[in-house]
Amino acid sequence: MAIHPILEVPDPRLKTVSTRVEAFDDELRTLVADMFETMYDAPGIGLAAIQIGVPKRVLVIDLQHEGEDGEPVRTPRVFINPEILDPSNEHTLYNEGCLSVPDQYAEVERPSTIRARWQDLDGKVHEEAMDGLMATCLQHEMDHLEGVLFIDHLSRLKRQMVLKKLEKLRKAA
Ligand code: GNR
Ligand code: NI
């Protein structure tokens, strides 16, 4: 297993449209293991393969909740070739961040609930209704598979502000 560097804006590879997974093999298992290790190290609640430079339709998500002892409990989930079905007409705002746009946050509006269909590491198909942070996070991650970042949902002015702030922070570092 390995922690990979996370691509950051304006890396053009983040605009890649990722391709479907056809082979459910050991190489895929290694990729997913590396994605979890990289996501937990960052730390983040989700990661798309393209964020470590692999243009495949693979996502990992772990929303982690607090256990009774106050310790975080991990709930690792893998989504391969995910699809969104029946997004709700109702939308919700969430203050989103992204490991590829470090330390920047902005409100993004997305459908409140969705149904998701995806494959697991064995290629088995799953379907589930999602809401709350899980619905938001899955939609954020699915955007990465299309080469879209949360800042692409903002007005051009707001997007430029975020990118300018990031540039400034990098120069100061
Ligand atoms: O760690 C992350 N937090 C987050 C917060 C609100 C909405 C989406 C996210 S996903 C992000 C990790 C990431 O960049 N995934 O692509
Ligand atoms: Ni992201």
Side-chain angles (χ1 to χ4, degrees):
M1 295 226 298
I3 294 167
H4 294 258
I6 295 174
L7 306 186
E8 294 181 2
V9 283
D11 193 310
R13 288 173 288 176
L14 288 168
K15 299 202 169 173
T16 313
V17 177
S18 295
T19 59
R20 287 179 61 85
V21 170
E22 305 292 351
F24 294 82
D25 55 10
D26 284 348
E27 191 187 324
L28 179 65
R29 281 169 199 276
T30 302
L31 170 64
V32 166
D34 285 1
M35 285 172 67
F36 274 117
E37 204 178 352
T38 302
M39 180 186 76
Y40 288 129
D41 175 72
I45 59 170
L47 193 75
I50 191 60
Q51 291 180 280
I52 58 167
V54 179
K56 287 190 184 164
R57 301 184 85 81
V58 179
L59 311 174
V60 296
I61 293 179
D62 190 337
L63 301 183
Q64 293 200 6
H65 62 278
E66 284 214 344
E68 281 175 21
D69 52 4
E71 286 293 297
V73 177
R74 285 181 175 183
T75 317
R77 303 196 61 178
V78 186
F79 300 89
I80 296 162
N81 300 327
E83 293 167 58
I84 289 179
L85 317 165
D86 18 282
S88 58
N89 292 322
E90 187 198 312
H91 285 63
T92 48
L93 275 179
Y94 197 90
N95 197 30
E96 298 195 14
C98 181
L99 295 170
S100 297
V101 192
D103 304 315
Q104 305 303 312
Y105 299 87
E107 302 253 298
V108 177
E109 194 184 320
R110 300 185 189 273
S112 314
T113 66
I114 54 169
R115 285 194 70 77
R117 184 186 291 156
W118 70 94
Q119 286 171 283
D120 63 22
L121 279 170
D122 299 316
K124 192 177 168 231
V125 178
H126 299 262
E127 205 179 300
E128 189 180 307
M130 293 177 176
D131 62 9
L133 183 55
M134 192 53 161
T136 296
C137 189
L138 191 73
Q139 292 176 79
H140 171 115
E141 302 309 338
M142 296 226 13
D143 271 354
H144 279 296
L145 304 184
E146 301 300 322
V148 172
L149 299 174
F150 81 95
I151 53 172
D152 297 323
H153 291 280
L154 309 177
S155 67
R156 203 166 74 180
L157 179 68
K158 277 193 188 165
R159 183 166 52 252
Q160 293 311 330
M161 276 171 49
V162 166
L163 292 172
K164 279 252 156 65
K165 262 205 260 171
L166 186 55
E167 224 176 287
K168 225 173 159 181
L169 282 170
R170 279 177 178 149
K171 278 188 184 142

